[in-house]
Amino acid sequence: MNIKHICILFGITAWANFATAASTPEDCAAITDDAKRLACYDQFLKNRPAPAKPEPAAQPAKPAEPAKPAMPEQAQKPAPKAEVVSKKDKVDEFGSERIKEEETLDKITATALGEFAEWEKGLKIQLDNGQVWEITDLRPGYYKVTNPTVTIEKGFMGSYNMNVKGRNKSYRVIRVE
């Protein structure tokens, strides 16, 4: 069935529904399907002219309220200041997107604290900014280094990859703290 046939079928269905619009509420009451009956009443009331509204009765005049004195400019509250987000705050939030849904940096560079030799799954890496990352990659590697500079960047579908300076390999990591 092609688009032409679908359009023709849709047009015939719409015309049939319009042609069978109820002319009285009794016609709608005779329909057994609840949804169709409700649609019939809606169509019936939509096509019916609105009844003339009666004019409201005259209300007694209310006494005018005294005008309120204008507040002096000094008494008005100042507008709240916009929060300034520093780069340190963004670095602190990097990798915690699962906790907060706000977009932050695409990568960070920091120093991993300690001596490292074997880079394998389960290794927890403390960074100088206070974050702790864990390697989840199944491919281990050997690279002996003390306090290396690492770059952690966003990967595919919410993953993170850590690159160690001086090493041509990246490790998949997750933030644990």
Side-chain angles (χ1 to χ4, degrees):
M1 188 177 259
N2 61 22
I3 299 295
K4 183 178 175 182
H5 290 114
I6 292 173
C7 290
I8 291 171
L9 182 62
F10 180 74
I12 291 171
T13 306
W15 180 78
N17 285 339
F18 180 73
T20 60
S23 58
T24 64
E26 290 79 22
D27 294 339
C28 294
I31 299 173
T32 57
D33 184 27
D34 292 339
K36 289 181 181 178
R37 184 172 52 249
L38 180 59
C40 179
Y41 280 122
D42 288 344
Q43 187 66 32
F44 173 75
L45 292 175
K46 186 188 299 183
N47 293 336
R48 206 169 146 203
K53 293 184 179 179
E55 293 186 25
Q59 298 288 333
K62 293 182 181 178
E65 293 184 23
K68 295 181 180 178
M71 291 181 68
E73 290 183 25
Q74 299 87 358
Q76 293 178 357
K77 294 181 180 179
K81 295 180 181 178
E83 293 181 347
V84 177
V85 179
S86 68
K87 187 171 182 175
K88 182 183 182 311
D89 292 337
K90 288 183 180 181
V91 169
D92 289 342
E93 295 298 320
F94 183 80
S96 64
E97 286 82 13
R98 289 182 288 150
I99 300 168
K100 297 180 182 178
E101 293 184 17
E102 117 186 3
E103 197 63 33
T104 58
L105 301 173
D106 289 332
K107 69 178 183 176
I108 63 168
T109 301
T111 302
L113 303 176
E115 289 186 22
F116 301 94
E118 291 188 36
W119 299 79
E120 59 188 357
K121 182 177 181 172
L123 177 66
K124 292 187 178 170
I125 302 158
Q126 172 82 38
L127 302 182
D128 61 348
N129 61 12
Q131 296 179 358
V132 178
W133 292 79
E134 181 179 341
I135 295 178
T136 60
D137 206 336
L138 295 174
R139 302 169 296 144
Y142 184 83
Y143 180 62
K144 189 170 185 177
V145 65
T146 303
N147 295 334
T149 300
V150 296
T151 302
I152 301 174
E153 56 190 351
K154 289 183 180 180
F156 184 67
M157 294 185 62
S159 65
Y160 293 92
N161 298 312
M162 180 180 66
N163 297 309
V164 181
K165 187 175 182 179
R167 179 93 169 135
N168 191 17
K169 182 176 182 177
S170 64
Y171 300 96
R172 189 171 303 237
V173 294
I174 60 169
R175 184 174 175 185
V176 292
E177 287 182 36

